[in-house]
mmCIF file of all heavy atoms in Angstrom:
data_model
loop_
_atom_site.group_PDB
_atom_site.id
_atom_site.type_symbol
_atom_site.label_atom_id
_atom_site.label_comp_id
_atom_site.label_asym_id
_atom_site.label_seq_id
_atom_site.Cartn_x
_atom_site.Cartn_y
_atom_site.Cartn_z
ATOM 1 N N GLY A 1 56.870 72.536 225.248
ATOM 2 C CA GLY A 1 56.235 71.829 226.349
ATOM 3 C C GLY A 1 57.070 71.762 227.611
ATOM 4 O O GLY A 1 56.658 71.151 228.596
ATOM 5 N N LEU A 2 58.245 72.382 227.603
ATOM 6 C CA LEU A 2 59.095 72.405 228.780
ATOM 7 C C LEU A 2 58.818 73.660 229.596
ATOM 8 O O LEU A 2 58.413 74.688 229.055
ATOM 9 C CB LEU A 2 60.572 72.404 228.376
ATOM 10 C CG LEU A 2 61.051 71.289 227.438
ATOM 11 C CD1 LEU A 2 62.490 71.547 227.035
ATOM 12 C CD2 LEU A 2 60.919 69.933 228.110
ATOM 13 N N SER A 3 59.075 73.585 230.877
ATOM 14 C CA SER A 3 59.006 74.766 231.732
ATOM 15 C C SER A 3 60.405 75.073 232.243
ATOM 16 O O SER A 3 61.192 74.164 232.523
ATOM 17 C CB SER A 3 58.057 74.534 232.915
ATOM 18 O OG SER A 3 56.730 74.407 232.455
ATOM 19 N N ILE A 4 60.720 76.356 232.361
ATOM 20 C CA ILE A 4 62.042 76.785 232.796
ATOM 21 C C ILE A 4 61.886 77.722 233.975
ATOM 22 O O ILE A 4 61.078 78.660 233.935
ATOM 23 C CB ILE A 4 62.790 77.507 231.656
ATOM 24 C CG1 ILE A 4 62.962 76.582 230.447
ATOM 25 C CG2 ILE A 4 64.144 78.017 232.127
ATOM 26 C CD1 ILE A 4 63.556 77.286 229.232
ATOM 27 N N VAL A 5 62.668 77.479 235.020
ATOM 28 C CA VAL A 5 62.718 78.398 236.145
ATOM 29 C C VAL A 5 63.769 79.453 235.818
ATOM 30 O O VAL A 5 64.950 79.147 235.683
ATOM 31 C CB VAL A 5 63.077 77.670 237.448
ATOM 32 C CG1 VAL A 5 63.203 78.680 238.601
ATOM 33 C CG2 VAL A 5 62.027 76.620 237.784
ATOM 34 N N VAL A 6 63.344 80.684 235.668
ATOM 35 C CA VAL A 6 64.252 81.776 235.294
ATOM 36 C C VAL A 6 64.719 82.476 236.568
ATOM 37 O O VAL A 6 63.893 82.983 237.340
ATOM 38 C CB VAL A 6 63.545 82.772 234.351
ATOM 39 C CG1 VAL A 6 64.474 83.915 233.986
ATOM 40 C CG2 VAL A 6 63.082 82.048 233.084
ATOM 41 N N PRO A 7 66.014 82.517 236.822
ATOM 42 C CA PRO A 7 66.492 83.008 238.120
ATOM 43 C C PRO A 7 66.544 84.522 238.271
ATOM 44 O O PRO A 7 66.750 85.020 239.368
ATOM 45 C CB PRO A 7 67.916 82.431 238.200
ATOM 46 C CG PRO A 7 68.332 82.261 236.770
ATOM 47 C CD PRO A 7 67.083 81.937 236.008
ATOM 48 N N HIS A 8 66.371 85.274 237.181
ATOM 49 C CA HIS A 8 66.525 86.719 237.250
ATOM 50 C C HIS A 8 65.321 87.437 236.644
ATOM 51 O O HIS A 8 64.708 86.954 235.691
ATOM 52 C CB HIS A 8 67.787 87.175 236.517
ATOM 53 C CG HIS A 8 69.043 86.589 237.074
ATOM 54 N ND1 HIS A 8 69.670 87.072 238.203
ATOM 55 C CD2 HIS A 8 69.791 85.533 236.658
ATOM 56 C CE1 HIS A 8 70.752 86.358 238.457
ATOM 57 N NE2 HIS A 8 70.844 85.410 237.536
ATOM 58 N N GLY A 9 65.031 88.609 237.183
ATOM 59 C CA GLY A 9 64.027 89.488 236.607
ATOM 60 C C GLY A 9 64.684 90.538 235.730
ATOM 61 O O GLY A 9 65.892 90.468 235.421
ATOM 62 N N LEU A 10 63.931 91.543 235.344
ATOM 63 C CA LEU A 10 64.445 92.582 234.454
ATOM 64 C C LEU A 10 65.542 93.417 235.088
ATOM 65 O O LEU A 10 66.256 94.142 234.395
ATOM 66 C CB LEU A 10 63.297 93.485 234.001
ATOM 67 C CG LEU A 10 62.289 92.863 233.031
ATOM 68 C CD1 LEU A 10 61.203 93.884 232.685
ATOM 69 C CD2 LEU A 10 62.977 92.372 231.764
ATOM 70 N N SER A 11 65.707 93.305 236.404
ATOM 71 C CA SER A 11 66.784 94.049 237.056
ATOM 72 C C SER A 11 68.154 93.620 236.535
ATOM 73 O O SER A 11 69.130 94.374 236.644
ATOM 74 C CB SER A 11 66.720 93.848 238.573
ATOM 75 O OG SER A 11 66.839 92.461 238.903
ATOM 76 N N ALA A 12 68.224 92.410 235.929
ATOM 77 C CA ALA A 12 69.498 91.954 235.356
ATOM 78 C C ALA A 12 69.968 92.861 234.237
ATOM 79 O O ALA A 12 71.167 92.968 233.971
ATOM 80 C CB ALA A 12 69.348 90.513 234.846
ATOM 81 N N LEU A 13 69.025 93.541 233.571
ATOM 82 C CA LEU A 13 69.403 94.425 232.468
ATOM 83 C C LEU A 13 70.098 95.691 232.958
ATOM 84 O O LEU A 13 70.788 96.361 232.201
ATOM 85 C CB LEU A 13 68.168 94.809 231.644
ATOM 86 C CG LEU A 13 67.761 93.838 230.519
ATOM 87 C CD1 LEU A 13 67.389 92.477 231.078
ATOM 88 C CD2 LEU A 13 66.605 94.412 229.704
ATOM 89 N N GLU A 14 69.927 96.008 234.250
ATOM 90 C CA GLU A 14 70.499 97.243 234.778
ATOM 91 C C GLU A 14 72.024 97.189 234.866
ATOM 92 O O GLU A 14 72.690 98.222 234.860
ATOM 93 C CB GLU A 14 69.901 97.532 236.160
ATOM 94 C CG GLU A 14 68.402 97.807 236.120
ATOM 95 C CD GLU A 14 67.799 97.939 237.507
ATOM 96 O OE1 GLU A 14 68.588 97.923 238.493
ATOM 97 O OE2 GLU A 14 66.560 98.053 237.614
ATOM 98 N N GLU A 15 72.572 95.980 234.959
ATOM 99 C CA GLU A 15 74.021 95.824 235.071
ATOM 100 C C GLU A 15 74.650 95.196 233.833
ATOM 101 O O GLU A 15 75.871 95.169 233.704
ATOM 102 C CB GLU A 15 74.362 94.950 236.273
ATOM 103 C CG GLU A 15 73.895 95.465 237.609
ATOM 104 C CD GLU A 15 74.280 94.504 238.717
ATOM 105 O OE1 GLU A 15 73.572 93.490 238.870
ATOM 106 O OE2 GLU A 15 75.286 94.762 239.386
ATOM 107 N N ALA A 16 73.838 94.681 232.933
ATOM 108 C CA ALA A 16 74.359 93.881 231.821
ATOM 109 C C ALA A 16 75.242 94.693 230.882
ATOM 110 O O ALA A 16 74.936 95.835 230.545
ATOM 111 C CB ALA A 16 73.208 93.254 231.051
ATOM 112 N N ASP A 17 76.344 94.063 230.460
ATOM 113 C CA ASP A 17 77.188 94.643 229.419
ATOM 114 C C ASP A 17 76.602 94.344 228.043
ATOM 115 O O ASP A 17 76.763 95.129 227.110
ATOM 116 C CB ASP A 17 78.607 94.071 229.516
ATOM 117 C CG ASP A 17 79.257 94.391 230.844
ATOM 118 O OD1 ASP A 17 79.603 95.570 231.060
ATOM 119 O OD2 ASP A 17 79.386 93.465 231.671
ATOM 120 N N ILE A 18 75.953 93.183 227.926
ATOM 121 C CA ILE A 18 75.318 92.769 226.674
ATOM 122 C C ILE A 18 73.922 92.242 227.003
ATOM 123 O O ILE A 18 73.772 91.389 227.891
ATOM 124 C CB ILE A 18 76.134 91.670 225.954
ATOM 125 C CG1 ILE A 18 77.557 92.154 225.655
ATOM 126 C CG2 ILE A 18 75.437 91.253 224.660
ATOM 127 C CD1 ILE A 18 78.456 91.071 225.063
ATOM 128 N N VAL A 19 72.921 92.742 226.316
ATOM 129 C CA VAL A 19 71.542 92.259 226.465
ATOM 130 C C VAL A 19 71.162 91.553 225.169
ATOM 131 O O VAL A 19 71.224 92.149 224.084
ATOM 132 C CB VAL A 19 70.566 93.423 226.738
ATOM 133 C CG1 VAL A 19 69.126 92.905 226.786
ATOM 134 C CG2 VAL A 19 70.926 94.138 228.033
ATOM 135 N N ILE A 20 70.781 90.285 225.279
ATOM 136 C CA ILE A 20 70.444 89.489 224.096
ATOM 137 C C ILE A 20 68.974 89.078 224.152
ATOM 138 O O ILE A 20 68.518 88.500 225.144
ATOM 139 C CB ILE A 20 71.329 88.227 223.999
ATOM 140 C CG1 ILE A 20 72.809 88.620 223.937
ATOM 141 C CG2 ILE A 20 70.949 87.398 222.771
ATOM 142 C CD1 ILE A 20 73.760 87.436 223.948
ATOM 143 N N ILE A 21 68.256 89.372 223.080
ATOM 144 C CA ILE A 21 66.862 88.938 222.945
ATOM 145 C C ILE A 21 66.852 87.857 221.874
ATOM 146 O O ILE A 21 66.964 88.143 220.673
ATOM 147 C CB ILE A 21 65.944 90.114 222.553
ATOM 148 C CG1 ILE A 21 66.165 91.280 223.522
ATOM 149 C CG2 ILE A 21 64.487 89.686 222.566
ATOM 150 C CD1 ILE A 21 65.560 92.577 223.080
ATOM 151 N N PRO A 22 66.770 86.566 222.270
ATOM 152 C CA PRO A 22 66.985 85.473 221.321
ATOM 153 C C PRO A 22 65.866 85.277 220.307
ATOM 154 O O PRO A 22 66.075 84.619 219.281
ATOM 155 C CB PRO A 22 67.099 84.230 222.222
ATOM 156 C CG PRO A 22 67.225 84.760 223.614
ATOM 157 C CD PRO A 22 66.552 86.088 223.618
ATOM 158 N N SER A 23 64.692 85.810 220.588
ATOM 159 C CA SER A 23 63.546 85.686 219.683
ATOM 160 C C SER A 23 62.463 86.615 220.229
ATOM 161 O O SER A 23 62.724 87.410 221.130
ATOM 162 C CB SER A 23 63.065 84.233 219.601
ATOM 163 O OG SER A 23 62.021 84.107 218.667
ATOM 164 N N TRP A 24 61.266 86.527 219.682
ATOM 165 C CA TRP A 24 60.157 87.309 220.225
ATOM 166 C C TRP A 24 58.853 86.704 219.744
ATOM 167 O O TRP A 24 58.829 85.872 218.830
ATOM 168 C CB TRP A 24 60.266 88.781 219.825
ATOM 169 C CG TRP A 24 59.458 89.691 220.704
ATOM 170 C CD1 TRP A 24 58.442 90.529 220.326
ATOM 171 C CD2 TRP A 24 59.604 89.847 222.118
ATOM 172 N NE1 TRP A 24 57.948 91.198 221.426
ATOM 173 C CE2 TRP A 24 58.641 90.795 222.544
ATOM 174 C CE3 TRP A 24 60.445 89.267 223.075
ATOM 175 C CZ2 TRP A 24 58.490 91.172 223.876
ATOM 176 C CZ3 TRP A 24 60.302 89.645 224.403
ATOM 177 C CH2 TRP A 24 59.342 90.588 224.780
ATOM 178 N N LYS A 25 57.757 87.092 220.397
ATOM 179 C CA LYS A 25 56.422 86.659 219.986
ATOM 180 C C LYS A 25 55.506 87.869 220.029
ATOM 181 O O LYS A 25 55.933 88.971 220.395
ATOM 182 C CB LYS A 25 55.900 85.555 220.912
ATOM 183 C CG LYS A 25 55.679 86.022 222.350
ATOM 184 C CD LYS A 25 54.946 84.963 223.157
ATOM 185 C CE LYS A 25 54.550 85.491 224.530
ATOM 186 N NZ LYS A 25 53.727 84.539 225.283
ATOM 187 N N ASP A 26 54.269 87.669 219.623
ATOM 188 C CA ASP A 26 53.293 88.776 219.600
ATOM 189 C C ASP A 26 53.918 89.993 218.915
ATOM 190 O O ASP A 26 54.017 91.090 219.487
ATOM 191 C CB ASP A 26 52.842 89.133 221.019
ATOM 192 C CG ASP A 26 52.238 87.944 221.757
ATOM 193 O OD1 ASP A 26 51.600 87.101 221.082
ATOM 194 O OD2 ASP A 26 52.411 87.856 222.981
ATOM 195 N N LEU A 27 54.339 89.781 217.686
ATOM 196 C CA LEU A 27 55.185 90.758 217.003
ATOM 197 C C LEU A 27 54.531 92.121 216.828
ATOM 198 O O LEU A 27 55.226 93.138 216.773
ATOM 199 C CB LEU A 27 55.592 90.205 215.636
ATOM 200 C CG LEU A 27 56.297 88.836 215.644
ATOM 201 C CD1 LEU A 27 56.708 88.434 214.239
ATOM 202 C CD2 LEU A 27 57.491 88.832 216.580
ATOM 203 N N GLU A 28 53.225 92.150 216.741
ATOM 204 C CA GLU A 28 52.551 93.422 216.489
ATOM 205 C C GLU A 28 52.036 94.096 217.755
ATOM 206 O O GLU A 28 51.499 95.203 217.688
ATOM 207 C CB GLU A 28 51.407 93.202 215.491
ATOM 208 C CG GLU A 28 51.903 92.646 214.159
ATOM 209 C CD GLU A 28 50.824 92.607 213.089
ATOM 210 O OE1 GLU A 28 49.788 93.271 213.284
ATOM 211 O OE2 GLU A 28 51.019 91.924 212.078
ATOM 212 N N ASP A 29 52.217 93.447 218.907
ATOM 213 C CA ASP A 29 51.751 94.041 220.163
ATOM 214 C C ASP A 29 52.803 95.002 220.715
ATOM 215 O O ASP A 29 54.005 94.772 220.568
ATOM 216 C CB ASP A 29 51.466 92.954 221.198
ATOM 217 C CG ASP A 29 50.275 92.095 220.823
ATOM 218 O OD1 ASP A 29 49.543 92.489 219.887
ATOM 219 O OD2 ASP A 29 50.081 91.045 221.451
ATOM 220 N N PRO A 30 52.371 96.071 221.371
ATOM 221 C CA PRO A 30 53.338 96.975 222.014
ATOM 222 C C PRO A 30 54.120 96.231 223.099
ATOM 223 O O PRO A 30 53.599 95.308 223.732
ATOM 224 C CB PRO A 30 52.456 98.068 222.626
ATOM 225 C CG PRO A 30 51.132 97.950 221.933
ATOM 226 C CD PRO A 30 50.976 96.515 221.549
ATOM 227 N N LEU A 31 55.368 96.625 223.308
ATOM 228 C CA LEU A 31 56.152 96.030 224.380
ATOM 229 C C LEU A 31 55.548 96.411 225.731
ATOM 230 O O LEU A 31 55.036 97.523 225.906
ATOM 231 C CB LEU A 31 57.597 96.536 224.350
ATOM 232 C CG LEU A 31 58.527 96.070 223.236
ATOM 233 C CD1 LEU A 31 59.953 96.484 223.559
ATOM 234 C CD2 LEU A 31 58.447 94.585 223.001
ATOM 235 N N ALA A 32 55.627 95.496 226.667
ATOM 236 C CA ALA A 32 55.230 95.823 228.035
ATOM 237 C C ALA A 32 56.107 96.974 228.529
ATOM 238 O O ALA A 32 57.322 96.984 228.310
ATOM 239 C CB ALA A 32 55.383 94.603 228.934
ATOM 240 N N ALA A 33 55.504 97.938 229.179
ATOM 241 C CA ALA A 33 56.216 99.150 229.584
ATOM 242 C C ALA A 33 57.471 98.864 230.416
ATOM 243 O O ALA A 33 58.526 99.472 230.167
ATOM 244 C CB ALA A 33 55.270 100.075 230.339
ATOM 245 N N PRO A 34 57.434 97.935 231.393
ATOM 246 C CA PRO A 34 58.654 97.688 232.182
ATOM 247 C C PRO A 34 59.812 97.176 231.325
ATOM 248 O O PRO A 34 60.959 97.562 231.534
ATOM 249 C CB PRO A 34 58.208 96.635 233.199
ATOM 250 C CG PRO A 34 56.726 96.813 233.300
ATOM 251 C CD PRO A 34 56.279 97.181 231.923
ATOM 252 N N PHE A 35 59.504 96.304 230.353
ATOM 253 C CA PHE A 35 60.551 95.771 229.483
ATOM 254 C C PHE A 35 61.076 96.854 228.549
ATOM 255 O O PHE A 35 62.290 96.994 228.341
ATOM 256 C CB PHE A 35 60.009 94.585 228.696
ATOM 257 C CG PHE A 35 61.022 93.941 227.782
ATOM 258 C CD1 PHE A 35 62.320 93.732 228.202
ATOM 259 C CD2 PHE A 35 60.662 93.544 226.491
ATOM 260 C CE1 PHE A 35 63.263 93.126 227.359
ATOM 261 C CE2 PHE A 35 61.587 92.955 225.654
ATOM 262 C CZ PHE A 35 62.881 92.741 226.094
ATOM 263 N N LYS A 36 60.178 97.634 227.991
ATOM 264 C CA LYS A 36 60.586 98.721 227.101
ATOM 265 C C LYS A 36 61.503 99.703 227.829
ATOM 266 O O LYS A 36 62.563 100.093 227.305
ATOM 267 C CB LYS A 36 59.344 99.445 226.575
ATOM 268 C CG LYS A 36 59.647 100.558 225.588
ATOM 269 C CD LYS A 36 58.341 101.149 225.038
ATOM 270 C CE LYS A 36 58.612 102.256 224.022
ATOM 271 N NZ LYS A 36 57.353 102.793 223.448
ATOM 272 N N ASP A 37 61.122 100.073 229.037
ATOM 273 C CA ASP A 37 61.926 101.006 229.818
ATOM 274 C C ASP A 37 63.286 100.412 230.146
ATOM 275 O O ASP A 37 64.315 101.102 230.090
ATOM 276 C CB ASP A 37 61.197 101.383 231.113
ATOM 277 C CG ASP A 37 59.941 102.210 230.865
ATOM 278 O OD1 ASP A 37 59.817 102.748 229.744
ATOM 279 O OD2 ASP A 37 59.097 102.290 231.775
ATOM 280 N N ALA A 38 63.315 99.117 230.505
ATOM 281 C CA ALA A 38 64.580 98.464 230.862
ATOM 282 C C ALA A 38 65.526 98.411 229.670
ATOM 283 O O ALA A 38 66.742 98.645 229.811
ATOM 284 C CB ALA A 38 64.312 97.062 231.395
ATOM 285 N N LEU A 39 64.979 98.118 228.480
ATOM 286 C CA LEU A 39 65.808 98.096 227.271
ATOM 287 C C LEU A 39 66.365 99.482 226.964
ATOM 288 O O LEU A 39 67.551 99.635 226.639
ATOM 289 C CB LEU A 39 64.978 97.606 226.080
ATOM 290 C CG LEU A 39 64.961 96.113 225.771
ATOM 291 C CD1 LEU A 39 64.133 95.854 224.516
ATOM 292 C CD2 LEU A 39 66.367 95.568 225.590
ATOM 293 N N GLN A 40 65.531 100.468 227.060
ATOM 294 C CA GLN A 40 65.966 101.832 226.772
ATOM 295 C C GLN A 40 67.040 102.304 227.742
ATOM 296 O O GLN A 40 68.021 102.932 227.355
ATOM 297 C CB GLN A 40 64.769 102.783 226.773
ATOM 298 C CG GLN A 40 63.798 102.552 225.617
ATOM 299 C CD GLN A 40 62.548 103.402 225.723
ATOM 300 O OE1 GLN A 40 62.199 103.886 226.802
ATOM 301 N NE2 GLN A 40 61.856 103.588 224.599
ATOM 302 N N ARG A 41 66.853 101.979 229.032
ATOM 303 C CA ARG A 41 67.856 102.369 230.025
ATOM 304 C C ARG A 41 69.183 101.662 229.770
ATOM 305 O O ARG A 41 70.258 102.277 229.859
ATOM 306 C CB ARG A 41 67.357 102.046 231.437
ATOM 307 C CG ARG A 41 66.268 102.981 231.943
ATOM 308 C CD ARG A 41 66.127 102.860 233.462
ATOM 309 N NE ARG A 41 65.876 101.489 233.894
ATOM 310 C CZ ARG A 41 64.664 100.953 234.002
ATOM 311 N NH1 ARG A 41 63.582 101.671 233.689
ATOM 312 N NH2 ARG A 41 64.514 99.716 234.413
ATOM 313 N N ALA A 42 69.121 100.369 229.449
ATOM 314 C CA ALA A 42 70.347 99.622 229.170
ATOM 315 C C ALA A 42 71.086 100.222 227.977
ATOM 316 O O ALA A 42 72.316 100.357 227.984
ATOM 317 C CB ALA A 42 70.012 98.150 228.918
#
C-alpha cells in the first residue's frame, strides 16, 4: 500500500557494475522488451 518515487529509469543499468532484481511478478509473462534488452546489454 506504499508508493515509492523511483529516481532512475532503465538507463541506470547501462553503467551498473551490479544489477539486482529483488523479486518479480507476472512470472509467466514475457519480459517487456526495453527491460529485456537492458538486462542483456548489462
Side-chain angles (χ1 to χ4, degrees):
L2 306 174
S3 293
I4 300 174
V5 177
V6 179
H8 300 280
L10 290 180
S11 59
L13 274 62
E14 296 174 6
E15 300 179 281
D17 299 289
I18 302 175
V19 176
I20 301 176
I21 308 167
S23 184
W24 200 240
K25 65 170 188 174
D26 303 327
L27 304 183
E28 300 188 15
D29 292 348
L31 289 191
F35 181 42
K36 183 176 181 178
D37 292 343
L39 269 183
Q40 292 174 340
R41 286 197 304 271

